[in-house]
Amino acid sequence: MKRIGILGGTFDPPHMGHLIIAQEVLCALKLDQVWFIPTYEPPHKHDAFVQADHRIDMLKLAIADNEKFSLDTIEIDRTGKSYTINTIIDLKKAYPEVDFYFIIGADMVEYLPNWYRIDELIKQVNFVGVKRSGYSMDTDYPVKKVDIPMVDISSSLIRGRLQEMKSIKYLVPDSVHHYIKEHGLYEKR
């Protein structure tokens, strides 16, 4: 069986923290690949700040130099609110020979009891939790814990810095930074 990690999120924008998490879990669990799955409309957050096509383009740029990373637009293609259970069911149908590892931050580990159809989901996929500043990893659900270097970067931090006209150098890949500037994304309005 192939071992594939899934890193979902709005990626609004994708940043170095996403890439570090994916790489650390890939190595720690000896995964074959990590698939980045941007959500169209997350059930637990606000709408994305930029359109899906921009987020897809930025993700392509962010992961371009790692052959073990790829992009899957299953949730964007579906449109509407995306629930993990629906994505996993569809992926398992399409790839029955794959063992999936769903990567989540400590904030989502704490939130697991509130996930839609969590008791069914926990039987379908291996959850992998990574530390995040300010959150515990305590849960009654089976979650593999992977220690990663603490990198306290978030998409909201990057959007805020851009609004304040502060530098985001080294927080996002250079290619993503250039894309954001070229398309005038996250500018103060």
Side-chain angles (χ1 to χ4, degrees), residues 74-162:
I74 184 172
E75 292 190 358
I76 299 282
D77 299 340
R78 186 184 305 134
T79 70
K81 285 205 184 297
S82 292
Y83 292 98
T84 303
I85 185 67
N86 299 331
T87 301
I88 295 302
I89 288 170
D90 290 347
L91 287 174
K92 287 180 76 85
K93 277 184 202 165
Y95 306 98
E97 74 291 350
V98 171
D99 199 11
F100 288 105
Y101 293 78
F102 197 82
I103 305 163
I104 58 175
D107 55 331
M108 287 293 109
V109 170
E110 287 184 5
Y111 194 73
L112 279 176
N114 303 310
W115 281 38
Y116 180 65
R117 293 168 57 189
I118 185 61
D119 292 327
E120 183 181 347
L121 181 59
I122 212 76
K123 296 172 186 166
Q124 300 288 322
V125 70
N126 303 290
F127 274 95
V128 179
V130 295
K131 286 185 181 175
R132 188 164 177 187
S133 182
Y135 296 93
S136 77
M137 296 278 281
D138 295 334
T139 183
D140 292 332
Y141 293 99
V143 176
K144 295 178 189 304
K145 294 174 177 81
V146 174
D147 286 326
I148 64 165
M150 288 301 280
V151 179
D152 201 10
I153 302 173
S154 68
S155 296
S156 58
L157 168 81
I158 292 163
R159 291 190 305 269
R161 290 183 67 89
L162 288 165

Side-chain angles (χ1 to χ4, degrees), residues 37-82:
I37 300 182
T39 186
Y40 183 78
E41 184 182 325
H44 62 282
K45 287 185 176 179
H46 59 78
D47 292 340
F49 286 90
V50 300
Q51 295 172 327
D53 58 337
H54 284 306
R55 293 184 289 120
I56 288 169
D57 289 345
M58 287 188 288
L59 257 177
K60 286 178 183 173
L61 292 168
I63 67 174
D65 67 349
N66 190 323
E67 64 185 17
K68 299 278 188 174
F69 291 172
S70 66
L71 172 68
D72 189 312
T73 59
I74 184 172
E75 292 190 358
I76 299 282
D77 299 340
R78 186 184 305 134
T79 70
K81 285 205 184 297
S82 292

